[in-house]
Amino acid sequence: MNVVTLLPAATEIVYALGVEPVGVSHECDYPPAAQDLPVVEYSHVDASASSDDIDQQVHEAQSEHGSVYGIDVDLLDDLDPDLVVTQGMCDVCAVDEVLVEEAIDAIDATPEVLTTDPHSLSDIYDDIQRIGAALGKQADAADFVDSLRSRVAAVEERSRGDGCEQQHLAVLDWTDPVMVAGHWVPELAHRANCEYGMAAPGDRSIPREWDDLLRYDPDVLVVAPCGFDLDQTRRNLGDLTEREGWENLTAVQEGNVWAIDGDQYMNRPGPRAVDSLEILASVVHPEAFERPPESAAQPLSTLYERRFGTV
């Protein structure tokens, strides 16, 4: 079966079920083998720019092109897909189903289009099982989901063990404008024994006023901009640290500000959402979990020092 996956989470799911796609999006980089596959989709936005520049580019691309993304229709035709996996959750995060349908209308093949729209862990599990059914891998998908559920249950149990106090948490998935992470992230917070007072499970991520964060005053603050690795997050720290009131935040004063790789974790609604939960629990409850790998998460103090070249 020729499968084209147009978002990183879908690529990870397909690989996990033992199938290699014939084509992927420009953002599909895990597992590493995905980086060698034909790239069917491209972006009109320079993802290496600053957070405020990216926000402006997104608005301009939507105005000029009608979408942040484009599809190489000729390449899609050559790949002769039987199944195309896309998403309907966010037209900024990945190519949307409308653009995919238009591209498919222009090629000879008539593939099945499977659209994901996850807003919770249950939705992610359902997507794995739906993709598994489309691939003829129902049993593998069921076993995989069971393993993910077991890992989530283990985190929940440990996060409520002796010495683990509930923390007030905020996770930012953009810094200029400030956005509080929604969708599955509030659920991850609750499962890690955190109060997540700025968004409810399933809420979309939307811009928030800086004063809203100051009033909430989290015990722990996680910065995980969508699409940013730790280096890019470091370069954009001023979006937060130069705002009035930053130094007065409880999380800042107590040294409980962490950056998590928002490109590889937190913002990918696939199998590694469970990795994200484990990383989140480790920064919120250091007394119960091992420190996360430095490649995945770093405290603000480390990022800040590296920003100014002192380490």
Side-chain angles (χ1 to χ4, degrees), residues 74-276:
D74 290 337
L75 176 56
L76 183 65
D77 195 17
D78 291 342
L79 295 175
D80 192 28
D82 302 297
L83 173 67
V84 176
V85 186
T86 185
Q87 61 89 41
M89 180 184 65
C90 174
D91 58 3
V92 174
C93 300
V95 63
D96 65 78
E97 58 186 323
V98 174
L99 194 62
V100 172
E101 293 285 2
E102 292 174 353
I104 288 174
D105 286 343
I107 66 175
D108 291 333
T110 56
E112 175 186 356
V113 177
L114 194 158
T115 302
T116 66
D117 187 18
H119 301 275
S120 66
L121 284 176
S122 292
D123 290 344
I124 294 170
Y125 300 151
D126 289 345
D127 285 342
I128 293 171
Q129 293 174 321
R130 290 170 58 222
I131 292 172
L135 298 174
K137 297 275 189 176
Q138 292 94 327
D140 292 330
D143 290 344
F144 189 37
V145 168
D146 285 344
S147 71
L148 295 175
R149 290 184 186 275
S150 295
R151 288 169 58 194
V152 170
V155 171
E156 287 188 280
E157 182 178 4
R158 188 181 295 186
S159 296
R160 287 159 176 77
D162 293 341
C164 291
E165 297 183 0
Q166 188 177 63
Q167 302 289 325
H168 285 73
L169 171 71
V171 179
L172 305 183
D173 63 5
W174 203 247
T175 56
D176 190 6
V178 170
M179 297 180 71
V180 174
H183 302 291
W184 52 88
V185 173
E187 180 182 357
L188 298 186
H190 294 160
R191 290 180 182 269
N193 192 21
C194 294
E195 175 68 30
Y196 197 79
M198 295 192 72
D203 283 354
R204 293 185 178 273
S205 300
I206 59 172
R208 301 295 296 266
E209 295 295 331
W210 177 245
D211 285 347
D212 292 342
L213 182 67
L214 296 180
R215 282 191 292 270
Y216 180 59
D217 192 22
D219 302 315
V220 181
L221 177 63
V222 168
V223 184
C226 184
F228 280 20
D229 62 14
L230 292 176
D231 286 341
Q232 195 165 4
T233 298
R234 183 186 70 247
R235 294 195 297 271
N236 287 272
L237 278 178
D239 293 346
L240 301 174
T241 62
E242 295 173 9
R243 289 179 182 267
E244 184 177 355
W246 167 259
E247 296 291 343
N248 297 325
L249 287 169
T250 297
V252 174
Q253 293 184 348
E254 297 185 359
N256 288 328
V257 181
W258 283 76
I260 294 178
D261 186 329
D263 180 38
Q264 297 296 315
Y265 305 101
M266 303 307 293
N267 298 295
R268 291 199 183 192
R272 289 194 295 166
V274 177
D275 296 53
S276 300

Side-chain angles (χ1 to χ4, degrees), residues 260-306:
I260 294 178
D261 186 329
D263 180 38
Q264 297 296 315
Y265 305 101
M266 303 307 293
N267 298 295
R268 291 199 183 192
R272 289 194 295 166
V274 177
D275 296 53
S276 300
L277 170 62
E278 293 166 343
I279 294 167
L280 190 63
S282 71
V283 305
V284 172
H285 302 295
E287 66 282 354
F289 295 85
E290 293 183 2
R291 189 181 178 98
E294 194 174 74
S295 60
Q298 295 177 13
L300 177 72
S301 58
T302 300
L303 283 176
Y304 191 80
E305 289 166 353
R306 287 179 175 166

